[in-house]
Every structure is written in C-alpha cells, then in structure tokens.
Amino acid sequence: MNMIDIHTHILPQVDDGSPNLETSIFMIEEAVKSGVTDLFCTPHFYRLKNYRSSFSHNQAVFNELQTVVQAKGYPIRLYLGSEIFYTIETIQDLRDKTVIPLGQSKLVLLEFSTGDDHEDLGEAIHNVRSLGFIPVLAHMERYRYAGDKDWAIVKKMGALIQVNAASVLGISNRSYQKKVLKMIKQGLVDFVASDIHQFRSNHLLEASLMIQKKFGFSMVEQLFHNERPLHE
Ligand SMILES: [Fe+2]
C-alpha cells in the first residue's frame, strides 16, 4: 500500500527546509523508514519571506536529488510541487507556472497567514477552482481564525484539508491536537503530512499508529494513503 507525504521541505537550498544535499538524503532515509512510498517536494513560494525559488530552478534541484535517490536504490518515488502562500498574485503565478500543482495532478497546496487577521479562505478557494485546480489547504489547524464551521464550509466549496503529523501528536501545540482530532472524527480531513524541515522529525509513523488506535485502520487509509494526488 502506498503511503504518501504531500507536504515536505526536502529540496536542498531552495527554502528553509534543507541546507544541503546530505541533509535532504537524511530526510529521505527517514521517510523510507517511516514507510513513505510517494513523496512530494513542496518548496515554499512566499514572496514576503523572500522564498521565491523559481519553478525551473526547483526542477533542476529536484532532478539532481532524484538522481542520487535512484542511484542509492531507495524505494521511494519523488514528485515536485509547491507550497504557495496565497496572495492576490497567486492566480497569475499559477497561470504563468511560476508555481505548480502537486506532481501531475490538479491539486494545489496553499498556505495562509497564521496571524490574527481573518484570511478569506473562501475567495482563495473560489479563485483557484475557477482555474480548474483543486486547492489543498496546508496545516489548516494553524489558522486560528478558522472555526469548526469553516472547516466544513471549505470542504463544501471543494477544497481538501491537510494537517501536520506533529499536530496529530500534540507535539508543537496541544490546542492544534484537540482541533485536529475533532476534525478527523468529523471526517473533514483529507491528508496527514509531515511538512518536514531539517529541524524536525517527520512523525508520520507515530501519527499513523495513533490514528489507527483512535479511529481504526480505515481512517489511516483515508489520511495517509490517500492517492488523489497520484491520479487527479
Ligand atoms: Fe510547509
């Protein structure tokens, strides 16, 4: 069975994810040990933080990493994507292919501000969908302005929801865990992913064991083996 991580910062020297190839390989080895079979590299595209590594540069770095991974014979498939900080420029960026969906799919990983300002998630979803893409909202549990109803509304609008494995375990923040488990129970979550950066573990194995214990294996399948990004 495929285990899919749709949100990682593994590519070297394109954002705050990995400082060099050696670290990237270490992160891939951890993914393999955790059972990940399909991994999407999703570098930040976030102009305000000056993460604006171009698609062509990311593609070149990705090809290099993939060559090393294949030479080492690791049983893992890699795909390229972007984690896009949503702004009014995002639609044009998608049209220009400055930013890209997850692999060959129509799924687009979007991130929003975690501050106190209420972001208009609905408008972002509407705009991205009007281009024919399916928005995936990255680490939804971090958007404190999004109440329980908002999770249901964004799903109704046709977006998918990703939460972080560390939040499932309550590692970074207990309130994130409470929120995530409640939303999983309501069937509103589509993906658990690592959002891995060099300074943390991917936590996927522990998170999947915990979900299995609490909700059973069918929920593990729904959240960790969701193959939509491989086919749609
Ligand atoms: Fe991320």
Side-chain angles (χ1 to χ4, degrees), residues 7-9 15 42 44 83 109 111 138-139 142 162 164 195-197 200:
H7 183 170
T8 73
H9 299 274
D15 62 9
T42 53
H44 284 292
E83 181 185 17
L109 187 65
E111 123 176 87
H139 36 62
R142 287 195 194 163
Q162 179 255 313
N164 282 2
D195 191 10
I196 190 165
H197 292 66
R200 51 196 194 219

Short mmCIF file of all heavy atoms in Angstrom, two decimals, residues 7-9 15 42 44 83 109 111 138-139 142 162 164 195-197 200, ligand 1:
data_model
loop_
_atom_site.label_atom_id
_atom_site.label_comp_id
_atom_site.label_asym_id
_atom_site.label_seq_id
_atom_site.Cartn_x
_atom_site.Cartn_y
_atom_site.Cartn_z
N HIS A 7 3.46 16.98 1.64
CA HIS A 7 3.94 18.30 2.06
C HIS A 7 5.30 18.16 2.76
O HIS A 7 5.36 17.71 3.90
CB HIS A 7 2.89 18.91 3.00
CG HIS A 7 3.20 20.30 3.46
ND1 HIS A 7 2.28 21.07 4.14
CD2 HIS A 7 4.31 21.08 3.34
CE1 HIS A 7 2.80 22.25 4.42
NE2 HIS A 7 4.04 22.28 3.96
N THR A 8 6.37 18.50 2.04
CA THR A 8 7.73 18.38 2.60
C THR A 8 8.62 19.52 2.11
O THR A 8 8.39 20.08 1.04
CB THR A 8 8.42 17.07 2.17
OG1 THR A 8 8.79 17.18 0.78
CG2 THR A 8 7.54 15.84 2.36
N HIS A 9 9.62 19.83 2.91
CA HIS A 9 10.63 20.83 2.51
C HIS A 9 11.99 20.13 2.47
O HIS A 9 12.85 20.38 3.28
CB HIS A 9 10.59 22.02 3.46
CG HIS A 9 9.26 22.71 3.43
ND1 HIS A 9 8.96 23.68 2.51
CD2 HIS A 9 8.13 22.49 4.15
CE1 HIS A 9 7.70 24.07 2.69
NE2 HIS A 9 7.17 23.36 3.68
N ASP A 15 14.59 26.76 0.20
CA ASP A 15 13.82 27.47 1.23
C ASP A 15 14.46 27.14 2.58
O ASP A 15 15.64 26.82 2.64
CB ASP A 15 12.32 27.11 1.14
CG ASP A 15 12.03 25.62 1.37
OD1 ASP A 15 12.95 24.88 1.76
OD2 ASP A 15 10.88 25.20 1.16
N THR A 42 7.70 20.07 -1.78
CA THR A 42 6.86 21.27 -1.94
C THR A 42 7.56 22.50 -1.36
O THR A 42 7.22 22.96 -0.26
CB THR A 42 5.49 21.08 -1.25
OG1 THR A 42 5.70 20.67 0.11
CG2 THR A 42 4.67 20.03 -1.96
N HIS A 44 8.60 26.22 -0.39
CA HIS A 44 7.81 27.44 -0.17
C HIS A 44 7.88 28.35 -1.39
O HIS A 44 8.95 28.52 -1.99
CB HIS A 44 8.40 28.25 0.99
CG HIS A 44 8.10 27.72 2.34
ND1 HIS A 44 6.84 27.70 2.88
CD2 HIS A 44 8.91 27.19 3.29
CE1 HIS A 44 6.90 27.20 4.11
NE2 HIS A 44 8.14 26.87 4.38
N GLU A 83 4.53 24.77 -2.22
CA GLU A 83 3.63 25.22 -1.16
C GLU A 83 3.49 26.73 -1.36
O GLU A 83 4.44 27.48 -1.17
CB GLU A 83 4.16 24.92 0.24
CG GLU A 83 3.17 25.40 1.31
CD GLU A 83 3.68 25.26 2.75
OE1 GLU A 83 4.90 25.10 2.97
OE2 GLU A 83 2.85 25.34 3.66
N LEU A 109 -1.24 23.01 -3.36
CA LEU A 109 -1.06 23.17 -1.91
C LEU A 109 -0.94 24.65 -1.56
O LEU A 109 0.01 25.32 -1.98
CB LEU A 109 0.20 22.41 -1.47
CG LEU A 109 0.48 22.31 0.03
CD1 LEU A 109 -0.60 21.50 0.76
CD2 LEU A 109 1.86 21.67 0.27
N GLU A 111 -0.99 27.81 1.37
CA GLU A 111 -0.82 28.16 2.78
C GLU A 111 -1.30 29.59 3.00
O GLU A 111 -1.28 30.41 2.08
CB GLU A 111 0.64 27.94 3.19
CG GLU A 111 1.37 29.10 3.75
CD GLU A 111 2.78 28.78 4.22
OE1 GLU A 111 3.72 28.83 3.41
OE2 GLU A 111 2.95 28.53 5.42
N ALA A 138 -3.03 23.81 3.43
CA ALA A 138 -1.94 23.26 4.23
C ALA A 138 -2.14 23.58 5.70
O ALA A 138 -2.59 24.66 6.06
CB ALA A 138 -0.61 23.84 3.75
N HIS A 139 -1.78 22.62 6.55
CA HIS A 139 -1.89 22.74 8.02
C HIS A 139 -3.01 23.69 8.47
O HIS A 139 -2.77 24.72 9.10
CB HIS A 139 -0.56 23.11 8.68
CG HIS A 139 0.32 24.06 7.91
ND1 HIS A 139 -0.06 25.33 7.59
CD2 HIS A 139 1.55 23.90 7.39
CE1 HIS A 139 0.90 25.92 6.91
NE2 HIS A 139 1.89 25.07 6.77
N ARG A 142 -3.53 25.44 11.94
CA ARG A 142 -2.79 26.63 12.39
C ARG A 142 -3.57 27.92 12.21
O ARG A 142 -3.18 28.95 12.73
CB ARG A 142 -1.50 26.76 11.59
CG ARG A 142 -0.46 25.75 11.96
CD ARG A 142 0.85 26.22 11.38
NE ARG A 142 1.84 25.18 11.40
CZ ARG A 142 2.95 25.22 10.68
NH1 ARG A 142 3.18 26.23 9.85
NH2 ARG A 142 3.82 24.24 10.75
N GLN A 162 -5.34 19.46 4.65
CA GLN A 162 -4.16 18.74 5.14
C GLN A 162 -3.85 19.21 6.55
O GLN A 162 -3.94 20.41 6.84
CB GLN A 162 -2.96 19.03 4.21
CG GLN A 162 -1.65 18.35 4.63
CD GLN A 162 -0.66 19.32 5.26
OE1 GLN A 162 -0.42 20.39 4.73
NE2 GLN A 162 -0.07 18.93 6.38
N ASN A 164 -0.85 18.60 9.91
CA ASN A 164 0.52 18.11 10.13
C ASN A 164 0.55 16.94 11.11
O ASN A 164 -0.20 16.93 12.11
CB ASN A 164 1.40 19.24 10.68
CG ASN A 164 1.84 20.21 9.60
OD1 ASN A 164 1.46 20.06 8.44
ND2 ASN A 164 2.64 21.18 9.98
N ASP A 195 5.16 18.02 6.55
CA ASP A 195 5.67 19.40 6.48
C ASP A 195 7.10 19.43 7.01
O ASP A 195 7.50 20.33 7.75
CB ASP A 195 4.76 20.34 7.29
CG ASP A 195 5.07 21.82 7.06
OD1 ASP A 195 5.86 22.13 6.14
OD2 ASP A 195 4.54 22.66 7.81
N ILE A 196 7.87 18.41 6.65
CA ILE A 196 9.19 18.25 7.26
C ILE A 196 10.18 19.33 6.83
O ILE A 196 10.27 19.70 5.67
CB ILE A 196 9.76 16.84 7.00
CG1 ILE A 196 11.00 16.65 7.86
CG2 ILE A 196 10.04 16.60 5.52
CD1 ILE A 196 11.47 15.24 7.98
N HIS A 197 10.89 19.85 7.85
CA HIS A 197 12.04 20.74 7.68
C HIS A 197 13.20 20.06 8.40
O HIS A 197 12.97 19.19 9.23
CB HIS A 197 11.79 22.10 8.33
CG HIS A 197 10.74 22.94 7.65
ND1 HIS A 197 9.41 22.58 7.62
CD2 HIS A 197 10.82 24.14 7.01
CE1 HIS A 197 8.72 23.52 6.98
NE2 HIS A 197 9.55 24.48 6.60
N ARG A 200 13.10 19.12 12.31
CA ARG A 200 12.14 18.25 13.00
C ARG A 200 12.04 16.88 12.33
O ARG A 200 12.51 16.69 11.23
CB ARG A 200 10.79 18.93 13.12
CG ARG A 200 10.22 19.48 11.85
CD ARG A 200 9.08 20.47 12.20
NE ARG A 200 8.28 20.81 11.05
CZ ARG A 200 7.82 22.04 10.82
NH1 ARG A 200 8.09 23.02 11.64
NH2 ARG A 200 7.08 22.29 9.77
FE FE B 1 5.26 23.77 4.71
#
